[in-house]
Amino acid sequence: MTFDLNDFSLAGRTALVIGGSSGIGREIALGYRAAGATVLIAGRRRDALDAVAAELGGNGPRIAYQADARAAAALLELREAIEADHGPVDVLVNCQGTTAIKPALELSEAEYDAILDTNLKSVFFACTQFGRGMCERGRGSIVNISSLAAHTGWANAAAYCASKWGVAGITQSLAAEWGERGVRVNAIAPGFFMTDLNRDRMPEERKAEARRRSAMKRMGELPELVGAAVYLGSDAARFVSGATLRVDGGYLSSGI
């Protein structure tokens, strides 16, 4: 076997990006299309889905699916609808996420449930729902969007950290369980990027601290995540599974 640059291509693959209607998910969806994949997106907001579908060139078969990934039954319906329209999914990206930046003593049960259901429960059941078919076919790649919060704790983000540590555990456990069945499961841990999720919720002093702590002294631009997602979804990473790739501008390298 010799190195082939074409291994980075996603041509001929069908990729689903859950949470693909905004932020990191939108960027990965556009990047996967540029890499040659047939790209499908799923999310809760029809208006946002339609806007990204237009960017993806969605004038042919349906490519945007409205679904609440927090419900296992909804994920089953999503898989059935996609397979009826496009056939099986080759690459799954779990990019759904939410947070609440507030002291743990002030976090309500409803807020805790919303974070864990969106960030962890939905990832597990999306992996198992689409991973089932991948295991049966003997091939597939899953890319979960984790966080630096899966590596260390953050004040005022206890539930978010718990959810992302859970994503790291799911990623490694499923990689160990499904590796011999031809299915790779990896994660990306983004550093600090400005997204719709954190633009208004992240205090200005924390943004300044993020820039100061990064080895590159800046926050990331969303397109800078795409290369990692394409790599992990492609044959170039055929022997990579159970890994979490940090795309953080050297933030964690600078110490805790």
Side-chain angles (χ1 to χ4, degrees):
M1 181 182 297
T2 59
F3 173 75
D4 188 342
L5 192 59
N6 290 323
D7 285 345
F8 286 95
S9 172
L10 295 177
R13 311 287 174 86
T14 298
L16 169 64
V17 182
I18 299 178
S21 59
S22 64
I24 291 172
R26 169 187 171 274
E27 207 68 42
I28 291 175
L30 294 171
Y32 272 21
R33 183 196 62 176
T38 296
V39 180
L40 316 175
I41 56 174
R44 283 182 277 174
R45 290 176 46 213
R46 171 51 61 187
D47 57 339
L49 286 167
D50 289 344
V52 178
E55 291 184 274
L56 291 168
N59 295 320
R62 179 168 57 147
I63 62 171
Y65 296 81
Q66 189 170 15
D68 186 345
R70 297 172 298 183
L75 289 165
L76 171 59
E77 293 177 3
L78 175 64
R79 179 179 64 79
E80 291 176 340
I82 286 174
E83 290 183 351
D85 292 341
H86 298 277
V89 168
D90 301 300
V91 183
L92 169 67
V93 180
N94 280 306
C95 201
Q96 59 272 38
T98 190
T99 191
I101 299 176
K102 63 193 305 184
L105 295 178
E106 299 176 11
L107 194 73
S108 69
E109 181 178 3
E111 289 170 323
Y112 175 92
D113 287 344
I115 293 168
L116 271 291
D117 284 352
T118 301
N119 295 3
L120 184 59
K121 177 184 174 183
S122 72
V123 171
F124 177 82
F125 284 105
C127 285
T128 55
Q129 192 58 249
F130 289 91
R132 185 183 307 276
M134 292 179 181
C135 287
E136 291 171 354
R137 294 187 298 275
R139 67 183 187 278
S141 175
I142 296 174
V143 181
N144 296 321
I145 302 302
S146 181
S147 169
L148 297 186
H151 296 270
T152 186
W154 297 104
N156 301 318
Y160 180 79
C161 287
S163 71
K164 293 303 184 177
W165 280 70
V167 169
I170 288 171
T171 298
Q172 293 186 40
S173 295
L174 295 182
E177 189 171 336
W178 295 346
E180 64 181 355
R181 304 180 74 173
V183 180
R184 298 183 296 104
V185 187
N186 292 290
I188 296 172
F192 287 93
F193 292 78
M194 277 295 95
T195 68
D196 293 337
L197 177 62
N198 65 14
R199 180 173 290 105
D200 296 326
R201 300 184 188 184
M202 189 175 181
E204 288 302 320
E205 60 270 20
R206 193 167 183 181
K207 294 175 186 175
E209 177 71 3
R211 289 189 289 267
R212 186 188 68 80
R213 287 282 304 279
S214 169
M216 296 184 179
K217 304 304 179 189
R218 65 178 177 85
M219 299 182 79
E221 300 290 338
L222 286 177
E224 294 174 314
L225 281 166
V226 173
V230 171
Y231 167 66
L232 291 175
S234 74
D235 284 346
R238 64 168 62 88
F239 200 57
V240 178
S241 196
T244 295
L245 178 55
R246 300 198 314 249
V247 185
D248 67 349
Y251 187 96
L252 288 185
S253 297
S254 300
I256 298 174

